[in-house]
Amino acid sequence: MIVIEHCAVSTVDGAGTEYTDGHIVVEGNRIVAVGPGAYAGLPGATRFDGTGCLATPGLVNTHHHLYQSATRGYAQQEILFGWLTELYPVWARIDAGIVHAAATAGLAQLALSGCTTSTDHQYVFPRDGGDILAAEIDAAAAVGLRFHPCRGSMDLSEKDGGLPPDSVVEDTDAALAATKDAIDRFHDPSPGAMVRIAVAPCSPFSVTPRLMREAADLARAEGVRMHTHLAETIEEEEYCRKIHNCTPVEYAESLGWLGDDVWLAHAVHLDPGAIEKLGATGTGVAHCPSSNGRLGAGIAPVRDLLDARVPVGLGVDGAASQEAGQLGAELRQALYLARLRGGPAALTARESLALGTIGGARCLGRDDELGSLEPGKLADIALWRLDGLGHAGIEDPVAALVFGPPAPLRLLLVGGRAVVQDGELSTLDESAVAASLARAARTLRESR
């Protein structure tokens, strides 16, 4: 039993319930009580004094490429297509060891920024790279985060009209078979699962229509979710119009890639009809504000998406296009970009927090267990310190968290287990993780 008390609480439940001085009680891996004031019972419980802190649901990261943690700082002035062209040859040399080091570091950074559940979109599988998906799943277990890896794939190489070189694509049948194998080996559909698999062909310019269609059929036959990049850049829009004679969303719709079991990465360049289709079908969106800014891709129409009842979550995106790797900071970035696009009323601090919590849980189909602080839900909880210099004097704790600098963590629980305490990882040695990542990055640089 764990009791967190004397803290502000933002539950992010359907009623927007908040307490200026409240408590949360955890039994096993579930929340059993949330309410105002101190909690008088449970004399034998482990108690955390949350004075000066804000408790929120743990953040949910809906898009990432963890292997890219080993290739940060490349192609610093490129748009997406130029960035990919420079990095594909580097990624062709990754292996399970490099991915394990990169994933461990990326997930550790996410945990330290308040994230309790993360996806990952792994779509590069060099032929001699070893068991890359297992390596990142092992990394998530070591860090202690809930993990939704997406078994990605690419089968449309440069010689066939795609963007990636031959060295990083797979045979279509082999990609489908490997995706089915990933589901069989790792997917856990049970309540409270720590690992769930999604099916995730990469993008319109790196995947054939056949792979998209058959991957969708596979996912629905197996009862797992579907994820892909879509409508990220103007160049992608031009590619789809030239090759497929339609917009990216129309292309996805023609292949069975809209629905309440699908969430799309980015969705920056959407016309009103596309937004309406996403809302009508319940298709989710992973909004990645910092990565979109880093690559100059544009600003996603988040206000319009929310108004159309599209499930929208936040994503850090791959560390090669978002070198900071912090999900907590994306709350602020999402707010700022929405206001740059639509003015100061375009997104509130509480709406931004909802994007990072319940919105992400909806994208992953887990809003019955994650994304809000309510009895019966999993005990994935972030307790943020707001009593330091960076937040002093901001009376509204949610505004302090979102508008202020990244807040340190007093505590991060995943299923009731402490992963971060007082700003430090409880599960791994941070310096050892950093050293391992530095070696992996050096190996890739020196192998060119």
Side-chain angles (χ1 to χ4, degrees):
M1 303 287 287
I2 295 173
V3 176
I4 302 169
E5 55 192 348
H6 304 303
C7 57
V9 179
S10 180
T11 68
V12 200
D13 65 9
T17 306
E18 297 183 359
Y19 303 104
T20 56
D21 179 13
H23 66 262
I24 306 165
V25 182
V26 174
E27 182 175 1
N29 69 346
R30 300 273 174 176
I31 297 169
V32 296
V34 183
Y39 193 79
L42 303 176
T46 300
R47 290 179 177 266
F48 289 91
D49 183 357
T51 300
C53 297
L54 168 67
T56 72
L59 303 183
V60 178
N61 180 31
T62 59
H63 188 62
H64 211 314
H65 308 292
L66 287 164
Y67 74 93
Q68 293 180 12
S69 297
T71 57
R72 295 189 292 177
Y74 290 65
Q76 295 175 24
Q77 280 78 47
E78 291 286 353
I79 63 170
L80 176 67
F81 280 17
W83 175 85
L84 286 170
T85 299
E86 180 172 333
L87 280 159
Y88 276 140
V90 183
W91 296 337
R93 300 191 298 275
I94 66 172
D95 59 24
I98 288 170
V99 169
H100 187 273
T104 303
L107 290 162
Q109 186 75 335
L110 286 170
L112 289 167
S113 68
C115 176
T116 51
T117 297
S118 183
T119 61
D120 187 59
H121 191 180
Q122 178 65 47
Y123 58 86
V124 179
F125 294 91
R127 292 172 183 83
D128 299 321
D131 199 343
I132 283 174
L133 198 64
E136 64 172 10
I137 290 171
D138 288 346
V143 176
L145 294 196
R146 207 174 299 282
F147 196 40
H148 282 231
C150 307
R151 207 298 177 176
S153 50
M154 299 190 293
D155 70 337
L156 184 65
S157 71
E158 192 175 19
K159 67 178 176 59
D160 297 317
L163 191 69
D166 291 349
S167 59
V168 295
V169 302
E170 297 176 277
D171 171 78
T172 306
D173 290 328
L176 289 164
T179 303
K180 173 66 163 62
D181 180 66
I183 297 167
D184 292 342
R185 291 171 66 196
F186 300 117
H187 182 67
D188 181 1
S190 64
M194 292 296 291
V195 178
R196 288 190 180 167
I197 300 293
V199 172
C202 186
S203 66
F205 50 84
S206 62
V207 176
T208 62
R210 180 195 159 201
L211 180 53
M212 289 291 286
R213 287 192 195 95
E214 295 190 23
D217 292 342
L218 171 63
R220 288 176 173 134
E222 296 292 329
V224 301
R225 297 184 76 76
M226 301 155 54
H227 184 52
T228 193
H229 297 89
L230 202 76
E232 183 176 0
T233 66
I234 288 292
E235 291 76 21
E236 181 191 324
E237 171 100 12
E238 293 170 349
Y239 177 91
C240 284
R241 288 189 181 278
K242 178 181 177 181
I243 301 299
H244 304 296
N245 197 33
C246 61
T247 68
V249 169
E250 289 169 341
Y251 180 59
E253 182 180 34
S254 74
L255 299 171
W257 272 80
L258 299 184
D260 61 5
D261 55 354
V262 179
W263 85 103
L264 308 170
H266 302 297
V268 173
H269 298 278
L270 302 173
D271 59 37
I275 294 171
E276 184 180 351
K277 282 183 180 179
L278 297 184
T281 56
T283 306
V285 167
H287 175 41
C288 305
S290 288
S291 177
N292 294 157
R294 203 273 207 193
L295 295 172
I299 301 174
V302 171
R303 180 72 269 157
D304 295 338
L305 290 166
L306 293 175
D307 289 345
R309 303 181 68 82
V310 175
V312 182
L314 291 183
V316 167
D317 204 4
S321 67
Q322 208 282 52
E323 279 79 356
Q326 296 181 324
L327 187 57
E330 294 303 282
L331 300 175
R332 187 169 181 254
Q333 289 292 90
L335 183 88
Y336 280 12
L337 281 176
R339 292 181 177 200
L340 279 173
R341 183 183 177 101
L347 200 70
T348 70
R350 283 161 178 79
E351 286 176 317
S352 187
L353 178 58
L355 293 179
T357 53
I358 194 67
R362 288 178 182 138
C363 287
L364 302 188
R366 298 200 69 174
D367 48 310
D368 61 331
E369 292 190 303
L370 304 173
S372 62
L373 301 178
E374 301 179 75
K377 287 203 168 185
L378 290 164
D380 290 11
I381 303 167
L383 185 64
W384 310 88
R385 288 196 59 180
L386 301 177
D387 55 354
L389 179 62
H391 304 90
I394 305 177
E395 184 177 7
D396 177 353
V398 176
L401 177 66
V402 176
F403 283 96
L409 288 165
R410 169 79 171 90
L411 180 69
L412 188 76
L413 297 180
V414 180
R417 179 194 183 198
V419 173
V420 177
Q421 291 192 70
D422 295 321
E424 296 185 355
L425 285 173
S426 303
T427 52
L428 293 173
D429 180 276
E430 189 176 335
S431 61
V433 172
S436 180
L437 175 62
R439 287 193 298 270
R442 186 168 58 250
T443 296
L444 283 175
R445 284 195 305 272
E446 294 175 352
S447 66
R448 287 195 287 180

